[in-house]
């Protein structure tokens, strides 16, 4: 009697499909590390989302017996979720920082821009009699209303037939440093054609500013200008010195 001793065919071994779980773990680690740097919130969000999806799919394969790396897939999914959370936090931090920086720049621009260009630069407008020109160092210059002046027979730079007008110029030092008044220059123009109005030197006028003006103190001089007989206006220009812009006063005569 013979017996068939042939062994049954072997069942082929199924290969485990662990690739998705492994990929989820790797991407989850990179995404989480990226999320620790707020500026890379976008990278953490992308990698975290992919890691979460791959980890969940890999976990499903484990349930179906197609993979045996349950711990790896689960860890990858959790790291992907953590990366997503960090990406949201990083986005909030980044956008807040950018917004604060823009606000600071806008504030700096507004603070540095002159609120009134004419006030920052006294030469930007013509002043009227009695107006005060205020400079950045709190130096103040005021020119009074012109008054008729009668030159003496010894007056210099007065032309026969012309009229003479005197103005009072006051310099007030509102700053913290002494002011050298010897550098102040005064010039005049008169009439519609703006011809030069010569400064008259006489016993009472023409001396000009001298010495220094201490903080909180004032200096006053009276200046007379020679103008054409028919002149209706006198432009007086005061330049406090080399570091200043000249200011002009448009004064009405008559």
């Amino acid at each position: 009697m013979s017996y068939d001793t042939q062994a049954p065919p072997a069942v082929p071994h199924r290969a485990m499909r662990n690739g998705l779980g492994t990929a989820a773990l790797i991407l989850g680690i990179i995404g989480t590390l990226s999320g620790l740097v707020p500026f890379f919130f976008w990278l953490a969000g992308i990698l975290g989302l992919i890691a979460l999806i791959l980890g969940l799919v890999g976990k499903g394969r484990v349930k179906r017996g197609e993979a045996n790396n349950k711990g790896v897939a689960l860890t990858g999914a959790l790291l992907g979720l953590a990366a997503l959370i960090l990406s949201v936090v990083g986005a909030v931090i980044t956008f807040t920082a950018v917004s604060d920086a823009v606000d600071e720049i806008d504030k700096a621009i507004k603070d540095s821009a002159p609120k009134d260009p004419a006030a920052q630069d006294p030469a930007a407008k013509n002043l009227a009699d009695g107006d005060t020109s205020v400079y950045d160092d709190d130096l103040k210059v005021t020119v009074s209303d012109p008054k008729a002046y009668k030159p003496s027979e010894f007056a210099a730079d007065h032309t026969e037939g012309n009229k003479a007008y005197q103005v009072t110029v006051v310099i007030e030092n509102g700053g913290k440093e002494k002011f050298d008044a010897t550098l102040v220059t005064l010039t005049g123009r008169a009439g519609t054609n703006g011809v030069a109005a010569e400064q008259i030197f006489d016993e009472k006028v023409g001396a000009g500013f001298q010495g220094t003006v201490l903080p909180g103190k004032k200096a006053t001089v009276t200046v007379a200008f020679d103008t054409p007989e028919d002149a209706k206006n006198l432009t007086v220009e005061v330049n406090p010195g080399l570091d200043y812009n000249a200011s002009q006063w448009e004064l009405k005569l008559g």
Side-chain angles (χ1 to χ4, degrees):
M1 179 179 295
S2 64
Y3 297 93
D4 188 3
T5 59
Q6 185 176 0
V11 178
H13 178 71
R14 179 185 296 180
M16 295 291 98
R17 302 170 62 187
N18 294 330
L20 292 182
T22 303
L25 179 62
I26 295 173
L27 294 179
I29 293 173
I30 298 175
T32 302
L33 293 176
S34 300
L36 296 177
V37 181
F39 180 74
F40 292 116
F41 68 91
W42 53 273
L43 180 60
I46 295 174
L47 297 181
L49 179 61
I50 297 175
L52 179 61
I53 295 173
L54 294 182
L56 294 177
V57 175
K59 187 179 177 182
R61 285 185 176 181
V62 173
K63 280 188 176 182
R64 295 192 299 272
E66 299 175 359
N68 59 1
N69 61 343
K70 178 180 179 181
V72 173
L74 180 60
T75 302
L78 293 176
L79 288 176
L81 180 60
L84 284 175
I85 295 174
L86 289 174
S87 71
V88 174
V89 175
V92 173
I93 294 175
T94 301
F95 290 138
T96 301
V98 171
S99 178
D100 291 343
V102 171
D103 291 341
E104 287 296 326
I105 294 174
D106 289 341
K107 182 180 178 182
I109 293 175
K110 290 179 180 179
D111 291 342
S112 62
K115 298 179 178 61
D116 182 0
Q120 295 294 322
D121 183 4
K125 66 176 182 178
N126 282 332
L127 304 168
D129 58 89
D131 287 345
T132 299
S133 177
V134 182
Y135 290 87
D136 292 337
D137 59 354
D138 289 329
L139 184 73
K140 301 175 183 179
V141 182
T142 306
V143 176
S144 71
D145 184 31
K147 297 180 181 179
Y149 175 76
K150 184 177 180 180
S152 71
E153 58 179 330
F154 302 105
D157 293 325
H158 172 60
T159 302
E160 188 70 27
N162 283 355
K163 291 184 178 180
Y165 292 89
Q166 69 178 34
V167 296
T168 300
V169 182
V170 179
I171 291 181
E172 180 180 357
N173 186 1
K176 298 180 179 179
E177 302 292 334
K178 64 181 180 180
F179 172 73
D180 185 2
T182 58
L183 298 177
V184 177
T185 59
L186 306 167
T187 57
R189 296 190 301 274
T192 55
N193 294 326
V195 297
E198 297 294 339
Q199 185 176 338
I200 298 174
F201 292 88
D202 204 351
E203 54 186 7
K204 296 181 180 179
V205 296
F209 289 98
Q210 299 178 359
T212 58
V213 182
L214 296 177
K217 300 297 182 179
K218 297 181 180 180
T220 303
V221 298
T222 300
V223 185
F225 293 97
D226 192 55
T227 69
E229 185 178 8
D230 60 348
K232 301 298 182 182
N233 66 289
L234 171 65
T235 301
V236 175
E237 181 175 287
V238 181
N239 191 333
L242 299 177
D243 297 330
Y244 298 86
N245 292 325
S247 298
Q248 292 185 352
W249 281 257
E250 194 68 26
L251 311 175
K252 294 181 180 181
L253 301 178

